[in-house]
Amino acid sequence: MIEPVQLPSPWRDAHLTVVVPTYNEAGNLPALVERLLALPLPGLRILVADDNSPDGTGEVADKLAIEHPDRIEVMHRAGKEGLGRAYVDGMGRAIEGGAEYVAQMDADLSHPPEALPGMLGALLSTQAGVVIGSRYVPGGELDENWPLYRRALSGWANLYVHTLLRVRIRDLTAGFKIWRADALRDIGLHRVQSNGYSFQVEMHYLATKLGHTILEVPIRFEERRDGESKMTTATKVESALMPFRLRSKHRNITG
């Protein structure tokens, strides 16, 4: 586990909301929340967007919110509508709540919370609209326990999307990042159509089309600690078709 960067004031006091979509993550959420709240970022808030998880994740989140009423909010959604919809709803709520910066990360502990202060520092010290915690820039790592087929799928997806969309990002499918709230307003969350993991690609594509600087910093990506991957055949099909839809739907968007 890396040591979090100690940011100077007023950077460490920035209003940062971390949006965490959950579906059957009851075993991981308490550990993630503990690590997030231990960060030297007093302005950090957590917004859990739960899709009515059958394993009781929503109830776990509610208990954590009672323990930390000023720092945790829970959004209960009707059911499993997809990662993209959860992020759109969560990010919208975060901006409405006054967040200056919005982070997104998985609940499965694959993304290191301790990297957030450094990512926030990189965002604040540049003109970037978003900073990505990247697996594929120099210094980035993949857990050696990550299955070979997942490595191959991730590598192929990045190559495939880069070829079709010409977006100059190494980790196009990354799900760990910090956005400026102004960049999200400019993108317009209402424009986002993706339901599954292709949400990440669509957001990167829109940010690029609108002229926002995208910065990648290296992270170590860990294999999930508990539970199962939510990747399904339907999400794979959506991800394969999405680049063609993006080129058609957003071709006239410019910065």
Side-chain angles (χ1 to χ4, degrees):
M1 188 181 300
I2 63 172
E3 286 294 323
V5 171
Q6 299 288 330
L7 295 177
S9 182
W11 287 7
R12 64 170 173 262
D13 301 313
H15 294 164
L16 169 66
T17 296
V18 182
V19 177
V20 183
T22 56
Y23 186 78
N24 288 349
E25 297 289 358
N28 290 317
L29 187 61
L32 175 62
V33 166
E34 180 181 5
R35 288 169 65 180
L36 284 170
L37 294 183
L39 295 175
L41 297 173
L44 182 148
R45 303 292 182 268
I46 303 168
L47 195 158
V48 178
D50 185 65
D51 278 6
N52 196 23
S53 299
D55 74 341
T57 303
E59 289 79 2
V60 171
D62 285 338
K63 291 177 181 177
L64 292 167
I66 291 171
E67 295 172 9
H68 307 279
D70 298 327
R71 303 197 69 184
I72 300 177
E73 179 182 357
V74 184
M75 176 187 295
H76 292 281
R77 289 157 41 83
K80 191 177 182 183
E81 300 175 25
L83 183 71
R85 296 300 92 200
Y87 268 130
V88 166
D89 289 350
M91 288 174 160
R93 177 79 67 87
I95 292 172
E96 289 172 3
E100 299 173 288
Y101 309 96
V102 180
Q104 57 175 99
M105 66 187 305
D106 293 345
D108 61 8
L109 302 175
S110 58
H111 300 144
E114 294 75 20
L116 279 172
M119 292 168 63
L120 180 61
L123 187 72
L124 292 170
S125 61
T126 66
Q127 296 301 311
V130 58
V131 170
I132 298 172
S134 177
R135 299 163 288 185
Y136 301 130
V137 293
E141 297 180 70
L142 286 171
D143 191 323
E144 53 273 7
N145 294 318
W146 212 41
L148 183 59
Y149 80 92
R150 292 289 303 277
R151 292 171 181 262
L153 179 63
S154 177
W156 177 85
N158 274 281
L159 177 61
Y160 171 75
V161 175
H162 183 270
T163 300
L164 289 175
L165 299 181
R166 300 296 182 185
V167 178
R168 298 177 64 84
I169 303 172
R170 293 201 181 191
D171 199 345
L172 274 163
T173 57
F176 186 31
K177 61 198 88 167
I178 301 180
W179 296 87
R180 291 184 186 271
D182 286 345
L184 292 175
R185 292 189 187 96
D186 187 36
I187 287 170
L189 292 170
H190 63 279
R191 286 185 175 132
V192 180
Q193 301 297 311
S194 302
N195 291 324
Y197 291 89
S198 58
F199 167 82
Q200 316 295 2
V201 173
E202 185 169 11
M203 291 293 287
H204 293 152
Y205 184 64
L206 285 168
T208 299
K209 290 277 285 183
L210 290 166
H212 292 283
T213 299
I214 300 174
L215 179 65
E216 292 183 85
V217 299
I219 63 159
R220 175 178 169 80
F221 182 88
E222 301 285 349
E223 175 64 304
R224 68 161 44 245
R225 304 283 183 85
D226 186 71
E228 298 178 353
S229 171
K230 310 304 187 297
M231 181 72 74
T232 66
T233 299
T235 59
K236 292 175 184 177
V237 171
E238 183 198 30
S239 297
L241 296 176
M242 185 54 64
F244 297 99
R245 294 173 180 167
L246 291 180
R247 287 197 304 186
S248 174
K249 182 175 178 57
H250 300 313
R251 63 178 177 273
N252 295 323
I253 295 176
T254 57

